[in-house]
Amino acid sequence: MPRSVNSVASRARRKRVLKQAKGFFGRRKNVWTVAKNAVEKAMVYAYRDRKQKKRNFRALWIMRINAGARLHGMSYSQFMGQVKKANIELNRKVLADLAMNHPEAFAAIVNQVK
């Protein structure tokens, strides 16, 4: 009995990986063994950086809130403590947007918690 290899599935698998490698430089985009490794590494980076992006944005929001709070003579930690105590349920993303784009609204919040 002849040996059965599922070449249709193998070809489809290779095609899928090479399609994901589209836009890579040099042999990374068209040589199967190189492209497979490059795509696997890219997937690892993508998974890791989806989580890192959340950290980076939180850090950015904290910096913006801190800058806004210091204009009104408070530190970030004092401001956030007062916000929690005053039961203002605005998250850091919204507070950072207010501090950056609507300083008068942010000033109103600061005056409310003082």
Side-chain angles (χ1 to χ4, degrees), residues 65 68-74 79 82-83 88 95 99 103-114:
I65 294 167
R70 285 188 187 275
L71 290 175
H72 299 284
M74 295 177 89
F79 174 71
Q82 296 287 358
V83 165
I88 297 173
L95 287 170
E104 61 286 338
F106 189 76
I109 293 172
V110 172
N111 292 333
Q112 191 176 348
V113 298
K114 270 189 176 175

Side-chain angles (χ1 to χ4, degrees), residues 21-41:
K22 186 179 172 190
F24 288 8
F25 182 82
R27 292 190 307 160
R28 293 163 71 91
K29 71 171 166 278
N30 54 17
V31 175
W32 159 244
T33 50
V34 181
K36 180 171 67 81
N37 292 332
V39 166
E40 277 179 11
K41 187 72 168 175

Side-chain angles (χ1 to χ4, degrees), residues 24-94:
F24 288 8
F25 182 82
R27 292 190 307 160
R28 293 163 71 91
K29 71 171 166 278
N30 54 17
V31 175
W32 159 244
T33 50
V34 181
K36 180 171 67 81
N37 292 332
V39 166
E40 277 179 11
K41 187 72 168 175
M43 293 291 190
V44 168
Y45 282 143
Y47 178 78
R48 180 197 70 189
D49 291 341
R50 280 195 297 276
K51 281 142 193 61
Q52 226 168 52
K53 185 168 80 168
K54 294 168 181 63
R55 284 179 235 158
N56 291 340
F57 268 106
R58 185 181 171 96
L60 176 68
W61 297 332
I62 288 171
M63 280 182 242
R64 288 179 174 175
I65 294 167
N66 190 22
R70 285 188 187 275
L71 290 175
H72 299 284
M74 295 177 89
S75 71
Y76 168 78
S77 61
Q78 289 169 337
F79 174 71
M80 289 308 286
Q82 296 287 358
V83 165
K84 296 286 182 248
K85 202 179 284 181
N87 287 329
I88 297 173
E89 293 191 8
L90 294 176
N91 60 19
R92 285 169 181 80
K93 182 179 178 179
V94 173

